[in-house]
Amino acid sequence: MATCPECDADIEVDEFDVDKGDQLSCPECGSNLEVTGLSPIELDLAPEDDEEDDDLDDDDENGDEDEDEEDDEEDENWDE
């Protein structure tokens, strides 16, 4: 059993199912938590990671390009 550092809720975590550095979410408040200790299980708020947001933005840009190419192909088919 571990405690959420944000809302003090008890969180059931099996120490054999997690490793140090794993992230999970508090079922009570939804905070992103990181496993910082294993015996006993210790949780801390997970650091905000802006790099993941940047990666998602890059994916969106690439996804839009593919859609534009498909639209161009459809336009060409209508011209025929």
Side-chain angles (χ1 to χ4, degrees):
M1 187 78 61
T3 303
C4 175
E6 187 71 17
C7 69
D8 292 327
D10 288 331
I11 302 173
E12 198 166 323
V13 181
D14 186 349
E15 65 183 87
F16 299 108
D17 287 339
V18 295
D19 291 319
K20 193 172 181 179
D22 284 354
Q23 293 190 358
L24 50 102
S25 180
C26 174
E28 294 294 321
C29 69
S31 293
N32 291 325
L33 306 173
E34 182 176 3
V35 177
T36 57
L38 294 176
S39 188
I41 298 288
E42 294 179 20
L43 301 173
D44 200 0
L45 291 175
E48 294 293 324
D49 192 8
D50 292 337
E51 289 179 19
E52 286 182 17
D53 293 339
D54 292 343
D55 290 344
L56 293 176
D57 292 341
D58 292 343
D59 291 343
D60 289 342
E61 290 172 8
N62 292 338
D64 291 342
E65 277 182 26
D66 293 340
E67 288 178 14
D68 291 340
E69 288 174 12
E70 288 175 13
D71 289 341
D72 291 343
E73 288 174 13
E74 288 176 10
D75 291 342
E76 288 174 12
N77 291 337
W78 283 106
D79 292 339
E80 292 176 2

